[in-house]
Amino acid sequence: MTESEFIQNLHTTAPTWSGIRFLKRMWQFRMGVIGGLFLLSLIIIAVFTAWLAPHNPYTQDVTQSLAPPVWIEGGSSDHLLGTDHLGRDILSRIMYGSRISLVIGFSAVTLQLILGVALGMLAGYYQGWVDSLISFLVDAMLSFPYILLAISLVAVLGASFQNIIIALAISGWTKYARISRIETIKLKEQEFILATHSLAYSSWRIIINHILPNILPTLVVISTVGVARAIISESLLSFLGLGIQPPTPSWGVMLAEGRDFMFMQWWLAAFPGMAIFLAALSINFLGDTLRDLTDPYLRKN
Amino acid sequence: MNQTLLDIKELSTRFHTPEGVVRAVDRVTFNIKKGSCLGIVGESGCGKSVTALSIMQLIPSPPGKISNGSIMFENRDLLGLSPNEVRGIRGKEISMIFQEPMTSLNPVYTVGNQIGETYQIHQGLSSKEAREKSIEMLSLVGIPSPQKRVDEYPHQLSGGMRQRVMIAIAMACQPKLLIADEPTTALDVTIQAQILDLMAGLQEKMDMSIMMITHDLGVIAEISDQVVVMYAGQVVEQSSVDELFEYPFHPYTQGLLGSMPKLGDKFLRGKHPLQEISGQVPDLINLPVGCLFASRCPRVEKQCREALPGLTEVSSEHDVRCWLV
């Protein structure tokens, strides 16, 4: 049997796609499946909040204020997770809050990626003074604590939905720039990039078509963690009063409002806190699994 | 047949490093005839690969620079062309295959994508046409069931298969000159022979010239018509293959031939150590006066240490850089 026939046989004898194999695969990536399902349900909730939420998140009812969750004495099935100090339904507010968290999380990271990857790859590919300039910028940015930079930017720009996204994007792109720069430098030395030069492909094509796809897996993993971080940062900015302004229901705003009632009426802060935690965790699970899936060596196994 | 395709004269390439100027290629002169195969032999660091990269003008600059000479390709001096004109020749008329088939293909694209891309860029074919051409090329380089292979990723192929794919990519635009930089070094011996056969077959079929860079005299004997022996950035001997193996003149060439193990030698002559060339290649930054091989030469004489010998013709088309000629 020649080498090629042998390899051919390997392929034909490999098990074909079936229900059992599908389930096995799902089990292999169970953490990612859990994370993905949770994130998916969060997205569905965010999109259809207006129909799904049991109450209007802004409606105040002082007679119902500080009602505990349903399983605690004094709780009612009308407010499953209880109400806050103004009598607003906590579950409904968390559901509305998911919109803000997801939109800010994903759009901030998208902007970070565009900015960071573009600058990082330029620095890594051209090196020389382009690299010096961009690396200097990155170092300067990194000498500033991430959240402090975001806080000062919001303070300067003013607290609004768009400005939070812009502030998070500007303060968070450096990580992607560093990673894409170093990965680009590494790949540039590889023979397959040298081979594309020998075929006279343009620099633009080499960067976009040949280097970028090779660094994407790394970026995907890191940027999912970045989404989780952006969601937490938004909550933190809102908690500090620099983000989403009350009465808009953001998880951070709810956390800030619940602070005063932490010891007696813990549900005001605990449930939005849990929402932040679960959202960040599920995104991290998903990110790890995506890494495994995009790895060309693991893909076929 | 006797038309010259590539004519290199006095080519020098230098690298400006913090330690000093490295003379990687020093006044190298040779030519390649249409439809023939030129072998370049020499040990690591003798300037073989840098010569190839100089022709392709892929020398990283800085620190590298082609400081002197001319590279005439079909009566055009490649060194005088604009970067755009050079790119018109690179990949289309001169293409190159590299030593490491394991890292020469992009891991994220299928084989078909990578062969097809050259067609899409250089010949403006649609992706469907490019795919058909890729399948055609795969079967041309002897890959079985190309229809299936075309959609596979590099990591699914063995080293020999990948080198075939590399050849397919390099041959896609039917170049007039194929530069092969140690294409068989990373492969095991049986596959080496297959790849060399393939290249020789393609050379005949497509009427192209090959510049074969190797440190393996066996490869040279197999495929080349002409040989250039390089040492420390200089040409030390050049001639036809037959003549070089029959009458090697330069002590370095003799050393190279003597250091090749011969099959069955042990039974004929008993156990004896392989002949080696003792010593080290001189430092390319501080080159010694005189012949660069003097410090390792078994037949060194006084004048060898005093002045660098020029290339002398010993018979027709056989030049040697040695005082003892």
Side-chain angles (χ1 to χ4, degrees):
Chain A
M1 198 171 2
T2 66
E3 167 202 36
S4 50
E5 278 166 356
F6 176 69
I7 292 173
Q8 228 173 303
N9 281 352
L10 270 185
H11 281 274
T12 46
T13 52
T16 46
W17 190 264
S18 68
I20 290 170
R21 227 188 120 188
F22 179 74
L23 287 177
K24 262 191 185 164
R25 233 173 136 75
M26 295 301 256
W27 179 247
Q28 190 189 348
F29 298 115
R30 54 195 173 278
M31 294 316 242
V33 172
I34 293 169
L37 286 178
F38 188 85
L39 193 66
L40 190 70
S41 47
L42 209 60
I43 290 170
I44 291 171
I45 288 171
V47 172
F48 298 106
T49 305
W51 292 276
L52 293 174
H55 294 275
N56 183 321
Y58 298 103
T59 311
Q60 302 180 4
D61 182 358
V62 192
T63 58
Q64 292 278 334
S65 75
L66 296 173
V70 62
W71 60 88
I72 288 177
E73 212 184 313
S76 80
S77 59
D78 200 22
H79 300 289
L80 287 176
L81 297 181
T83 60
D84 66 4
H85 56 297
L86 296 174
R88 296 174 294 194
D89 182 50
I90 288 183
L91 179 63
S92 308
R93 284 177 69 73
I94 287 179
M95 288 168 88
Y96 270 91
S98 64
R99 284 184 170 184
I100 288 169
S101 294
L102 289 180
V103 171
I104 288 185
F106 281 104
S107 42
V109 167
T110 307
L111 287 181
Q112 284 172 0
L113 269 176
I114 293 171
L115 202 62
V117 172
L119 289 175
M121 290 187 76
L122 282 180
Y125 188 82
Y126 288 106
Q127 303 198 294
W129 66 267
V130 183
D131 186 21
S132 309
L133 188 74
I134 293 171
S135 294
F136 174 77
L137 198 62
V138 170
D139 286 340
M141 300 281 292
L142 281 174
S143 61
F144 239 74
Y146 168 70
I147 201 67
L148 194 62
L149 191 64
I151 289 171
S152 7
L153 278 168
V154 175
V156 171
L157 296 169
S160 78
F161 190 75
Q162 291 95 317
N163 287 348
I164 293 171
I165 295 175
I166 292 170
L168 291 177
I170 292 178
S171 46
W173 61 272
T174 48
K175 184 160 50 170
Y176 305 107
R178 287 194 130 185
I179 291 162
S180 24
R181 172 179 171 270
I182 202 75
E183 290 284 316
T184 306
I185 292 175
K186 241 165 60 186
L187 284 165
K188 237 181 83 167
E189 312 274 309
Q190 297 274 320
E191 278 194 333
F192 68 86
I193 297 298
L194 193 62
T196 57
H197 282 291
S198 80
L199 292 167
Y201 293 175
S202 66
S203 297
W204 195 239
R205 171 174 280 274
I206 293 172
I207 293 176
I208 302 285
N209 286 14
H210 290 268
I211 298 181
L212 185 60
N214 279 289
I215 63 177
L216 266 182
T218 319
L219 289 171
V220 164
V221 181
I222 297 176
S223 62
T224 47
V225 179
V227 171
R229 191 170 73 150
I231 289 176
I232 294 171
S233 305
E234 179 276 318
S235 304
L236 182 64
L237 285 175
S238 303
F239 181 80
L240 294 172
L242 283 164
I244 304 297
Q245 298 299 314
T248 311
S250 132
W251 293 345
V253 168
M254 294 174 70
L255 209 57
E257 287 173 347
R259 189 178 44 183
D260 299 337
F261 306 91
M262 196 83 100
F263 292 104
M264 302 305 291
Q265 289 84 27
W266 52 268
W267 55 90
L268 262 68
F271 293 120
M274 197 124 68
I276 297 169
F277 169 71
L278 287 177
L281 191 69
S282 64
I283 292 169
N284 284 343
F285 279 167
L286 187 67
D288 281 349
T289 303
L290 281 180
R291 192 232 6 240
D292 294 348
L293 285 173
T294 49
D295 190 328
Y297 292 95
L298 290 171
R299 198 186 289 157
K300 275 282 166 178
N301 294 335
Chain B
M1 182 71 183
N2 277 328
Q3 266 176 307
T4 304
L5 179 71
L6 182 80
D7 193 10
I8 294 178
K9 283 208 170 72
E10 298 279 307
L11 177 73
S12 297
T13 303
R14 291 167 186 204
F15 288 89
H16 298 264
T17 65
E19 289 79 33
V21 179
V22 179
R23 289 197 269 173
V25 173
D26 192 17
R27 284 162 293 160
V28 162
T29 299
F30 61 81
N31 63 58
I32 301 177
K33 300 212 165 38
K34 268 195 184 131
S36 76
C37 175
L38 177 89
I40 299 191
V41 235
E43 60 198 282
S44 313
C46 72
K48 299 170 295 194
S49 297
V50 177
T51 305
L53 291 175
S54 300
I55 296 169
M56 295 298 276
Q57 298 196 30
L58 287 172
I59 296 287
S61 169
K65 194 173 182 299
I66 298 172
S67 55
N68 186 34
S70 67
I71 302 173
M72 302 296 285
F73 179 74
E74 296 196 307
N75 302 322
R76 282 167 296 176
D77 188 355
L78 296 187
L79 297 179
L81 299 181
S82 72
N84 262 336
E85 290 172 309
V86 172
R87 287 195 24 215
I89 289 175
R90 211 190 278 158
K92 259 188 267 182
E93 299 188 37
I94 307 178
S95 56
M96 188 162 173
I97 50 182
F98 295 89
Q99 180 173 352
E100 263 303 331
M102 295 322 226
T103 55
S104 296
L105 292 168
N106 194 332
V108 300
Y109 290 118
T110 62
V111 165
N113 277 336
Q114 296 187 55
I115 305 173
E117 192 173 11
T118 54
Y119 284 114
Q120 291 182 12
I121 293 174
H122 291 309
Q123 296 183 4
L125 298 187
S126 71
S127 59
K128 208 177 149 217
E129 291 168 321
R131 190 187 145 89
E132 265 154 36
K133 281 275 196 182
S134 308
I135 295 174
E136 218 172 89
M137 273 322 282
L138 284 177
S139 64
L140 187 68
V141 296
I143 289 185
S145 52
Q147 266 92 352
K148 210 166 85 189
R149 291 287 170 186
V150 76
D151 293 319
E152 294 192 352
Y153 287 89
H155 73 271
Q156 295 170 268
L157 305 178
S158 66
M161 291 274 206
R162 287 188 215 189
Q163 197 58 288
R164 284 174 196 266
V165 172
M166 282 308 297
I167 293 172
I169 293 175
M171 301 287 298
C173 292
Q174 305 195 344
K176 292 173 181 144
L177 175 64
L178 179 68
I179 300 177
D181 189 355
E182 309 223 12
T184 56
T185 305
L187 306 173
D188 63 55
V189 187
T190 49
I191 310 291
Q192 273 188 18
Q194 291 177 11
I195 295 289
L196 289 178
D197 277 353
L198 169 68
M199 289 180 68
L202 288 174
Q203 176 191 12
E204 208 166 297
K205 212 180 282 179
M206 303 208 164
D207 192 30
M208 63 171 184
S209 306
I210 295 179
M211 178 172 146
M212 172 69 72
I213 297 171
T214 181
H215 60 256
D216 186 346
L217 284 166
V219 170
I220 294 286
E222 183 89 13
I223 196 170
S224 297
D225 304 312
Q226 292 282 316
V227 194
V228 169
V229 182
M230 281 183 78
Y231 182 77
Q234 296 182 336
V235 176
V236 293
E237 182 158 9
Q238 57 179 320
S239 81
S240 68
V241 170
D242 302 338
E243 181 142 340
L244 190 92
F245 279 84
E246 200 114 353
Y247 309 108
F249 215 97
H250 199 281
Y252 178 65
T253 316
Q254 292 169 354
L256 279 182
L257 287 166
S259 61
M260 260 167 72
K262 287 180 193 68
L263 200 63
D265 222 23
K266 194 171 132 190
F267 298 101
L268 288 177
R269 297 203 283 149
K271 245 186 181 171
H272 64 99
L274 269 181
Q275 196 187 328
E276 61 171 320
I277 306 175
S278 57
Q280 295 272 312
V281 185
D283 182 4
L284 291 178
I285 295 174
N286 302 304
L287 285 176
V289 190
C291 175
L292 299 181
F293 190 60
S295 63
R296 304 171 76 183
C297 185
R299 290 158 56 197
V300 62
E301 291 179 4
K302 188 164 170 271
Q303 61 175 341
C304 301
R305 301 197 193 273
E306 283 164 358
L308 181 71
L311 274 175
T312 321
E313 197 165 18
V314 288
S315 61
S316 90
E317 305 219 324
H318 186 168
D319 301 326
V320 179
R321 189 187 291 278
C322 185
W323 286 121
L324 303 174
V325 174

